[in-house]
């Protein structure tokens, strides 16, 4: 399976600021996704990161709040903009090669907004 | 729309006893089903998946799961639980043939506590 790293692993941020989270994979992958895991809850898909084009967002998530970049097949960033305490969550990227393929997850970024 | 239900928030089991974590799903068409485990302060680790074929799927760390189409279930099992199996377990589903790839929908998670 691919080796996935995320930076930062954790951060504490002030309300109103923005944080960019990086996801790096050690091999080219077809699909990259971003998920949010709010405290004590399950994972919710934020968006599919598309290489060279705009990300595809799920219902309830918008580009202005969660801009995503994917410049190539091994790297993606998620920005959490204008943060509020409700954005405190673990943000995870995941990768997969196709519809039948297993999706593998990065270690996550634990974000706390004060 | 697709959904996953894990009816138990927590499962307690004594070490050495069988462990079962329940999962039922709802999806249009045929599903792909997955189990993941999350240890404290770590990401999700893949355990096993059902894509097609044999309904009994064997995965990592001695875990297995049985796909039951009539009951729309995919329960996770381990014959003899270890204390180290204590973790948070997630069931997930994606719909076969999704054009956008395997977008996963997760259940709410089940915390497993294995007592010595």
């Amino acid at each position: 399976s691919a080796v996935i790293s995320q930076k930062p692993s954790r951060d504490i941020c002030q309300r109103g600021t923005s944080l960019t989270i990086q996801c790096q994979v050690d091999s080219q992958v077809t699909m990259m996704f971003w998920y949010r895991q709010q405290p004590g809850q399950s994972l919710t898909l934020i968006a599919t990161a598309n290489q060279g084009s705009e990300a595809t967002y799920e219902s309830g998530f918008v580009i202005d709040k969660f801009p995503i970049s994917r410049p190539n097949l091994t790297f993606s960033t998620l920005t959490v903009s204008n943060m509020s305490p409700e954005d405190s969550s673990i943000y995870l990227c995941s990768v997969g090669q196709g519809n039948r393929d297993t999706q593998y997850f990065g270690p996550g970024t634990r974000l706390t907004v004060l | 729309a697709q959904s996953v239900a894990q009816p138990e928030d927590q499962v307690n089991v004594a070490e050495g006893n069988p462990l079962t974590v329940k999962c039922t799903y709802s999806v249009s068409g045929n599903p792909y089903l997955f189990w993941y485990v999350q240890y404290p302060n770590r990401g999700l680790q893949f355990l096993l998946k059902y894509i097609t074929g044999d309904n009994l799927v064997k995965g990592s760390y001695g875990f297995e799961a049985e796909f039951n189409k009539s009951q729309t279930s995919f329960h996770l099992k381990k014959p003899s639980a270890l204390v180290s199996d204590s973790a948070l377990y997630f069931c997930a589903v994606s719909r076969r043939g999704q054009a956008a790839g395997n977008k996963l929908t997760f259940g709410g998670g089940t915390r497993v506590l294995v007592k010595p």
Side-chain angles (χ1 to χ4, degrees):
Chain A
S1 63
V3 176
I4 308 164
S5 60
Q6 286 186 232
K7 290 182 181 179
S9 58
R10 59 178 61 222
D11 207 341
I12 301 173
C13 300
Q14 296 298 319
R15 180 196 299 261
T17 63
S18 298
L19 177 72
T20 295
I21 302 168
Q22 299 179 4
C23 179
Q24 179 75 56
V25 192
D26 69 342
S27 59
Q28 294 185 344
V29 292
T30 306
M31 300 171 190
M32 295 182 79
F33 304 89
W34 286 98
Y35 289 83
R36 180 175 73 182
Q37 185 178 21
Q38 294 178 298
Q41 306 217 5
S42 185
L43 283 81
T44 302
L45 179 64
I46 298 172
T48 303
N50 301 310
Q51 193 239 338
S53 64
E54 192 171 290
T56 304
Y57 289 84
E58 298 300 305
S59 176
F61 297 96
V62 295
I63 188 170
D64 290 346
K65 177 66 176 177
F66 297 102
I68 289 171
S69 77
R70 189 178 173 192
N72 55 51
L73 293 176
T74 64
F75 184 78
S76 178
T77 66
L78 167 75
T79 299
V80 185
S81 303
N82 188 24
M83 288 184 285
S84 67
E86 291 71 35
D87 294 320
S88 298
S89 297
I90 299 173
Y91 292 86
L92 301 102
C93 70
S94 68
V95 303
Q97 293 288 26
N99 190 239
R100 296 164 58 97
D101 189 45
T102 298
Q103 210 169 118
Y104 292 98
F105 286 79
T109 296
R110 183 179 295 271
L111 170 62
T112 302
V113 184
L114 302 178
Chain B
Q2 54 197 45
S3 64
V4 178
Q6 293 181 240
E8 300 157 315
D9 290 336
Q10 182 161 322
V11 170
N12 298 317
V13 63
E15 187 173 32
N17 282 2
L19 169 64
T20 298
V21 186
K22 296 179 180 177
C23 171
T24 58
Y25 66 90
S26 174
V27 66
S28 58
N30 293 314
Y32 294 150
L33 294 157
F34 303 82
W35 276 102
Y36 290 86
V37 60
Q38 187 176 37
Y39 297 99
N41 299 314
R42 295 173 66 176
L44 265 67
Q45 296 181 27
F46 168 72
L47 281 179
L48 51 79
K49 66 181 178 183
Y50 171 80
I51 300 298
T52 187
D54 194 348
N55 289 343
L56 183 63
V57 178
K58 294 188 182 295
S60 307
Y61 313 119
F63 284 94
E64 59 186 31
E66 185 165 12
F67 171 62
N68 187 317
K69 187 173 183 178
S70 63
Q71 297 186 4
T72 62
S73 67
F74 190 56
H75 302 329
L76 180 71
K77 298 182 180 183
K78 186 172 184 179
S80 178
L82 301 173
V83 172
S84 57
D85 293 327
S86 299
L88 187 56
Y89 291 79
F90 290 100
C91 181
V93 66
S94 68
R95 182 167 57 84
R96 196 176 297 185
Q98 269 183 149
N102 53 337
K103 294 196 299 184
L104 293 176
T105 298
F106 283 84
T110 298
R111 188 165 302 279
V112 170
L113 180 59
V114 182
K115 297 181 179 178

